[in-house]
Amino acid sequence: MADTSQPLRRAALLASGVALLGLLTACGSESASSSGTPEPGKAARSTGAEPGGGSTTPGDTGPAVGAAPSDTAGSASASARTDGRCHTFELRASVGRVDPGAGQRNFPVVLTNTSERTCTVYGYPGAAFVDASGKQLGPDPERAPGSPRTVTLTPGKSAWSGLSFSSPQISGARTATPATLLVTPPDEREPLKVKWTAGEVPVGGNASSVSVTVLSPGTGP
């Protein structure tokens, strides 16, 4: 009788080897799919901030269709635009000739646009008399009643405000002779300096108030 145990043993060993090989192959595939290499299409996805201040949600590759655009560019262009107001460095101040009347001394204080652009002034200028050392003489002028309006100044054009006070010879107010009149354009901080050559001004006592009017187009009444 033939011995059949040897072929059966070989078949069993072969089957075991095939099973083991299959197991090793499966383990190798599992290892590759769980590695740190990203899947195609996911490398560009980010959860960080986008340029322009936006951010994406995990798994997004960019802003959703129809999303509102970032306002960063709009803010930049808004800040690049210049405002329409005339600034101190764009203006020259001067004082016109005295216009006496009814015991008053009236002077046109003129602001002229020296820039190359059109700008505007609105309201009252600031004014102050100072001595040669820069010390202010008397209180700030009062604002005469009026209706402010926007005055548009093309290059070279002017606006004026009336500076008025009672004649000290008539009012008997205490006086001083200023060296300079400081004129501050509306909404500005830096004044313009104008040499004062019109003599004494009231700085204290009765009837010593000085007033200014709203700015109007032109160089005087």
Side-chain angles (χ1 to χ4, degrees), residues 9 40 43 57 61 71 93 100 117 142 153 203 207 219:
R9 192 178 298 111
T57 38
T61 56
D71 63 354
R117 74 177 184 113
E142 300 174 353
L153 301 180
V203 295
T219 57

Side-chain angles (χ1 to χ4, degrees), residues 129-137 182:
F129 293 110
V130 297
D131 63 17
S133 67
K135 180 182 177 182
Q136 183 168 336
L137 302 172
L182 301 181

Side-chain angles (χ1 to χ4, degrees), residues 20-147:
L20 180 61
L21 180 60
L23 181 61
L24 290 173
T25 303
C27 287
S29 299
E30 215 173 310
S31 241
S33 64
S34 62
S35 69
T37 305
E39 294 179 33
K42 290 186 179 178
R45 294 177 183 175
S46 168
T47 59
E50 293 181 324
S55 61
T56 56
T57 38
D60 251 344
T61 56
V65 176
S70 166
D71 63 354
T72 303
S75 298
S77 45
S79 64
R81 291 197 300 266
T82 57
D83 59 58
R85 188 177 84 243
C86 295
H87 299 283
T88 299
F89 66 87
E90 298 176 302
L91 298 169
R92 179 183 70 248
S94 59
V95 177
R97 290 184 302 177
V98 61
D99 178 24
Q104 289 287 113
R105 304 191 74 192
N106 308 299
F107 299 86
V109 176
V110 182
L111 294 174
T112 301
N113 181 7
T114 59
S115 73
E116 296 181 354
R117 74 177 184 113
T118 296
C119 58
T120 61
V121 291
Y122 176 88
Y124 297 82
F129 293 110
V130 297
D131 63 17
S133 67
K135 180 182 177 182
Q136 183 168 336
L137 302 172
D140 291 337
E142 300 174 353
R143 293 181 173 183
S147 300

Side-chain angles (χ1 to χ4, degrees), residues 88-220:
T88 299
F89 66 87
E90 298 176 302
L91 298 169
R92 179 183 70 248
S94 59
V95 177
R97 290 184 302 177
V98 61
D99 178 24
Q104 289 287 113
R105 304 191 74 192
N106 308 299
F107 299 86
V109 176
V110 182
L111 294 174
T112 301
N113 181 7
T114 59
S115 73
E116 296 181 354
R117 74 177 184 113
T118 296
C119 58
T120 61
V121 291
Y122 176 88
Y124 297 82
F129 293 110
V130 297
D131 63 17
S133 67
K135 180 182 177 182
Q136 183 168 336
L137 302 172
D140 291 337
E142 300 174 353
R143 293 181 173 183
S147 300
R149 58 171 169 158
T150 299
V151 181
T152 300
L153 301 180
T154 55
K157 294 299 182 180
S158 303
W160 71 281
S161 169
L163 176 73
S164 302
F165 53 84
S166 296
S167 175
Q169 288 76 19
I170 297 174
S171 69
R174 183 165 56 86
T175 64
T177 301
T180 303
L181 174 66
L182 301 181
V183 181
T184 306
D187 301 314
E188 292 290 297
R189 293 181 179 273
E190 292 299 318
L192 296 161
K193 297 180 180 181
V194 183
K195 185 178 180 180
W196 183 258
T197 59
E200 295 179 326
V201 300
V203 295
N206 295 331
S208 63
S209 63
V210 179
S211 65
V212 291
T213 64
V214 295
L215 286 161
S216 300
T219 57

